[in-house]
Amino acid sequence: MIEPALRALPGLGPLIISRICSQLSATTLTIAIGWQMYALTHSVSSLGYLGLAQFLPMVPLTFISGHVADRFNRRSVVLICQILEVLSTGTLAAIAAMHCLTPAYVYAFAAFYGTLRSFEMPCQQAFLPAIVPPQLLPRAQALMSSLFMTASIVGPSLGGLLYGLGSVICYSLATLGFALAFLGTLALKLRHKVASKEPVTFASVFAGLGFLNRRRDLLGAISLDLFAVLLGGATAMLPVYADSVLHVGPIGLGFLRAAPALGALFTSAWLSRHPLGGRAGITMFVSVIVFGIATIVFGASHITWISVVALMVLGAADVISVVVRSSLIQLATPDAMRGRVSAVNSLFIGSSNQLGEFESGMLGTAIGPEAAVIAGGVGTILVAATWIRLFPSLWALDRLEDVRPEEL
């Protein structure tokens, strides 16, 4: 699956090891602490609070972490975060082994892990353009997306299996995964200037927002993804569909949950070998519209195989949008600003996923799950049509390889 040209790039191997081990450990851990929390409390609401505990630190820390990513050595910041991930997850394993684990410990761990991810993600997102030449970046981005999706598919299943063997084993192996991620990051050789030494001011901390306001194509790409995922959050309704609409039970739910990731995996693997050519902006808008149509088909379907296919198409369309957006952000953003822009992008992604699930749940309660999913798909299409008029520079975007960073 890895192209020879990409395989030959120095530094890409350690980055792949670092990102895959980190994602496997993160998804394994998410499943495990969810099971742990439910076992401790037998409360469904506690699961929602657990996700909130991981997300809330990102909101106040986004702009601070972005400035840290641009002011200090990004590799060193990630290494510190990964060391703390090893120590905190290892501590969780030790507390579990002593049978002293309480909901308070789990919430505290989730909040601390969310804090670490707030600083780690903006730095990690800036690694790829520091390794890969601009002409290969879209292809490399697609490759990393396919590997990320693979880890996202394997991780939850692995977490459930390992937790069945015991929470201590699960947490211990997640600790090992974070340690391997640390070693991968340690081996990275990056081609970027040492971080900016501009003084810390209110303007410098929030400079990422100012840059996005100047680069309307970037603002359009990030906000389009935010509202598309926010409105089209069909995955939040999957348990309801598996139980009450399709009547496929927990095994069918597993297939439904895997379908979007499988569609994304196949598409990103294809894009890693056959990168997008011209009219990248139009391709992005079309993929969002297809995402909306697939959401509508899923919402209206009462036939399992149609629902699975619709979810696979949904995942495939989503990853095309992700590759265009991610490549555009990395290519158009100067290195000195990349951390702050990546931090804003991370906040938008986290907001769309978390708030999208909340929006789907509230709307589903009000008008019914099927109507809520269909309405979300229609809303996604309307947002795409509106964004074409609001951001003509994004619609006119041609070849990603021709994008150049703006001079600061």
Side-chain angles (χ1 to χ4, degrees), residues 219-231:
L219 178 61
I222 293 175
S223 57
L224 176 63
D225 178 79
L226 167 65
F227 286 103
V229 176
L230 182 63
L231 294 172

Side-chain angles (χ1 to χ4, degrees), residues 13-305:
L15 179 61
I16 289 173
I17 292 172
S18 176
R19 294 299 298 274
I20 296 305
C21 289
S22 179
Q23 181 62 13
L24 276 173
S25 293
T27 51
T28 298
L29 199 58
T30 298
I31 294 297
I33 62 174
W35 277 105
Q36 182 85 72
M37 179 60 74
Y38 190 74
L40 291 170
T41 65
H42 300 288
S43 168
V44 175
S45 61
S46 66
L47 301 179
Y49 292 134
L50 188 61
L52 195 62
Q54 293 183 65
F55 172 71
L56 282 180
M58 184 181 293
V59 178
L61 293 175
T62 290
F63 300 104
I64 298 173
S65 62
H67 198 280
V68 167
D70 287 334
R71 186 173 177 83
F72 299 98
N73 185 288
R74 293 165 185 157
R75 179 171 165 270
S76 298
V77 173
V78 173
L79 288 172
I80 292 171
C81 289
Q82 289 174 336
I83 289 174
L84 292 175
E85 286 168 356
V86 171
L87 294 175
S88 59
T89 311
T91 300
L92 192 68
I95 295 174
M98 293 184 291
H99 305 287
C100 297
L101 203 57
T102 65
Y105 279 125
V106 180
Y107 282 132
F109 171 81
F112 184 65
Y113 180 68
T115 300
L116 294 178
R117 294 292 286 175
S118 297
F119 285 92
E120 185 178 1
M121 288 175 64
C123 295
Q124 282 185 328
Q125 290 176 14
F127 282 168
L128 196 59
I131 296 173
V132 178
Q135 65 272 19
L136 285 177
L137 187 60
R139 186 176 295 186
Q141 190 69 57
L143 171 65
M144 295 303 295
S145 294
S146 67
L147 296 173
F148 183 88
M149 289 299 171
T150 301
S152 298
I153 294 170
V154 174
S157 301
L158 185 63
L161 176 63
L162 292 176
Y163 192 85
L165 299 176
S167 60
V168 177
I169 293 176
C170 189
Y171 297 143
S172 298
L173 290 178
T175 303
L176 176 61
F178 286 131
L180 293 175
F182 169 83
L183 295 176
T185 303
L186 193 64
L188 281 177
K189 300 183 184 300
L190 305 177
R191 297 182 295 103
H192 70 269
K193 298 177 182 178
V194 177
S196 168
K197 295 300 181 183
E198 63 178 301
V200 179
T201 64
F202 182 86
S204 68
V205 170
F206 290 92
L209 291 177
F211 178 79
L212 289 174
N213 188 49
R214 294 195 304 273
R215 286 298 303 247
R216 299 287 294 174
D217 51 350
L218 293 186
L219 178 61
I222 293 175
S223 57
L224 176 63
D225 178 79
L226 167 65
F227 286 103
V229 176
L230 182 63
L231 294 172
T235 54
M237 294 290 102
L238 289 184
V240 179
Y241 269 77
D243 181 52
S244 304
V245 178
L246 300 173
H247 306 289
V248 292
I251 296 177
L253 175 60
F255 283 107
L256 293 176
R257 285 199 175 276
L262 286 172
L265 173 61
F266 294 146
T267 304
S268 54
W270 170 267
L271 290 175
S272 69
R273 292 180 174 273
H274 307 279
L276 296 171
R279 300 182 178 180
I282 294 176
T283 300
M284 181 177 186
F285 279 108
V286 170
S287 70
V288 173
I289 292 171
V290 171
F291 180 93
I293 294 172
T295 300
I296 294 171
V297 171
F298 171 77
S301 172
H302 286 241
I303 301 174
T304 303
W305 71 265

Side-chain angles (χ1 to χ4, degrees), residues 70 74 211 330-339 405-408:
D70 287 334
R74 293 165 185 157
F211 178 79
Q330 301 300 349
L331 288 168
T333 307
D335 187 69
M337 187 66 66
R338 202 166 267 142
E406 176 184 311
E407 293 296 329
L408 295 177

